[in-house]
Every structure is written in structure tokens, then in C-alpha cells.
Amino acid sequence: MGVFKVKYLEYEAKIVCSTSLDPWHNLALEEYLFREIKHNQVFLYLWQNQNTVVIGRNQNAWKECRCNELEQAGGKLARRLSGGGAVYHDLGNLNFTFIMDRTKYDLEKQLKVILEAVRTFDINAQFTGRNDLTVEGRKFSGNAFYFERDKAYHHGTILIDVDVAKLAAYLQVSKEKIVSKGVDSVQARVGNLNLFSSEISIESMKSALMKSFQELYGKVSEPPIIVSDTTFPLENLYKKYSSWDWLYGKTPNFDMVLSTRFPWGGIELGLTLANGLIKDAKIYSDAMNSHLIDRIALTLLKLPLQIDLIVNAIRGINVDQEDQVIIDDLINWILSGVI
């Protein structure tokens, strides 16, 4: 196993590094580690993908990525478990994932690992917005989060020397999203860290992250062992992440499509009707809580197309305080007369 570990206070901390550049393998490994995490464990998983667009759990692949152009260039599309928006990966980008027993989930501490590592290069990095790490207003890292019962993960990108022209060529970012960020284009919004330091590289960033992780989660004396493609039994998970159904899913011809954008993310609601009832409901969104988006869509099934019944069904979904804003915004949107 490509791991080194130490028991420190109440943590068993591990660092895992993948040598694969295949996004389907690396996402399969990420989920494998997530499924295998034990009580009081925290993993830092470092990985890279070559020429890849990774979309969020609930996003429409065709609308987020110029899939044909990507495929013709030998690239790959991948879909992750977490919510959030689409990102472009190449070898100028380093991905990180914190995987842990949910009781050890500490976003501030996890972000501190990244920020402290970047600041060792005299770069003043900050956490801004809902999920971005920035330097002087330029985004170098997008973060996303996934929770399931007693487990959690937080992952993101670190743009060091990414081909920004390809990023702009393959990603189809909505005009509404660009306007909400107050910039003219995706190229104007993102920035590689090597713009701010000539000393930074993928390898030096890896070393800085490992050091920062060890300082915050426990000193590790053993050298890391690199994970190869054959270290874990990933065949079934690989089939999942590389399958058409997972990547693209069904794209039914909806009878009604409604879309808008909120501060927490965009939403496109597609409804198929039969005999006055909602036969099928699909929500595409870059909202962070992928589970909630799925639950909202399921709640609408078999309901009559009546505003009061739809609103009451959505209002009845049990959520925590943080996600209540999503429920409230959807209800107000529906009550505004969109249906």
C-alpha cells in the first residue's frame, strides 16, 4: 500500500500517492479508500490526471464539457461522487483528497494544510467564496465535499502550471456563472501558482503538502510508499467510473425544463409528465450537496403538477441549517411562477 502512517493523539494519519494518470483509476482508488477508512483515521491522498475534465455528481456532461473535442484530443471525461462544478486536470495540476472518519472532519484544519503548504512559497493564499482557494483574486483551487453516514472526504485541485488555454477550450462555463464571479471569462478567473512563485513545482508542492499534513496531523518518520495500479482490487470500481451510464447517464426528452442560478449553484430541473403526474424528474446542478439534489428530484416523482403540492413536498425534506437555504430558495423560485 502506498502509505506511511503514524498514530498521533487520537489520529491514525496516512499519506497515499497514486502513480496512475488515469482519472477512472484515481477516482476508483479514492472511493476504495473512502470505503475502507476506519474509525479515527485520516488519509491525505495525492494524485494527478492527464488531459481530463472531471464533472460534479449532478452535472450534465454535455453542457459542462466539450466532450467531442476532449475525446478527439485523447482526453477523458470523469464524474466524481461529490457535488460542485467541472474542472480541468493535466500534469500541471495536483489533486488532493482528505478522507476521514466523519468525527475527524475539520474543514478549517484541512484547508490549513493546503494554505500553509502554499504559503511556504511566499504566496498569500486565501479561502474565498463557497469552495475556492485564491491568490490576488485568481482561483488556483476548487474544493468539493462528500459525506456518507460515518465517513467524509474533501478534495480539490491545485493549479501549478495547467494549460489554461485547454481548460478554457474544454470547459463550457455558463455565462450566468461567469457573471456571478464578476469576471469576463474562465481564463481571467483562474491562475496558476507559478505566476506567483518561480520556485513552485508539482514535486515541491507534494513535499510541502506532506510536511504541512504531518505538522498538523502528526509527525511521520517513515518514507512514503507509492501506490501502483495493481495495489488494490479496483476492477469493479473502475468499471463504474469508466461506464457510459456513470459518465453521461440518461438524457430523456423532458416535457418541461426550468433553470436558474442561485448563490449556492445553478440548477436545471427537467420534468417528464404522464396523465398530469411527474413521471420522471432530473436535476442537474453544481450545488455542493449531491445527496440533497438527488433527494429533491426523488421527492417530486408521482406528484401532480400542482405548485402547492410540489412546494409542500420540497418543504418536507429534512435538512440541516446549512442546506435550508437551498430548500428555501427553490420554494421561492417555484412560487414566483416558473411552473
Side-chain angles (χ1 to χ4, degrees), residues 62-233:
W62 302 108
K63 289 197 172 183
E64 301 299 329
C65 173
R66 295 182 178 90
C67 301
N68 292 333
E69 289 89 334
L70 179 67
E71 184 178 348
Q72 289 169 6
K76 287 183 175 179
L77 177 75
R79 184 187 296 274
R80 60 184 185 267
L81 282 177
S82 63
V87 290
Y88 174 71
H89 295 174
D90 64 16
L91 297 188
N93 171 70
L94 177 62
N95 300 301
F96 64 85
T97 310
F98 295 95
I99 307 170
M100 68 280 290
D101 162 12
R102 193 165 182 172
T103 64
K104 300 306 176 190
Y105 185 86
D106 184 341
L107 181 59
E108 183 177 352
K109 187 173 185 177
Q110 292 143 213
L111 288 171
K112 189 174 181 180
V113 171
I114 308 303
L115 294 172
E116 290 300 314
V118 173
R119 288 167 183 165
T120 62
F121 299 94
D122 293 324
I123 299 174
N124 185 24
Q126 306 290 333
F127 180 65
T128 60
R130 63 172 186 157
N131 67 325
D132 296 344
L133 298 179
T134 62
V135 179
E136 297 178 12
R138 302 283 291 275
K139 175 180 175 179
F140 70 87
S141 175
N143 290 240
F145 320 94
Y146 185 76
F147 304 92
E148 194 173 291
R149 294 184 296 276
D150 60 343
K151 301 176 181 182
Y153 78 55
H154 156 210
H155 58 187
T157 56
I158 302 177
L159 278 62
I160 294 171
D161 190 20
V162 169
D163 188 330
V164 179
K166 286 187 177 179
L167 181 153
Y170 296 141
L171 296 184
Q172 299 191 117
V173 182
S174 70
K175 292 180 180 179
E176 293 83 359
K177 186 170 185 177
I178 290 295
V179 169
S180 74
K181 300 295 183 179
V183 294
D184 296 325
S185 70
V186 66
Q187 288 165 295
R189 185 178 169 228
V190 302
N192 283 309
L193 288 178
N194 66 358
L195 295 174
F196 305 97
S197 172
S198 60
E199 298 178 1
I200 198 166
S201 66
I202 294 293
E203 290 307 315
S204 64
M205 190 68 219
K206 279 184 181 179
S207 297
L209 283 171
M210 290 181 186
K211 182 179 179 181
S212 178
F213 180 73
Q214 292 168 37
E215 288 174 349
L216 285 162
Y217 285 90
K219 185 178 179 182
V220 178
S221 58
E222 300 175 25
I225 303 171
I226 304 303
V227 177
S228 70
D229 288 353
T230 58
T231 305
F232 299 112

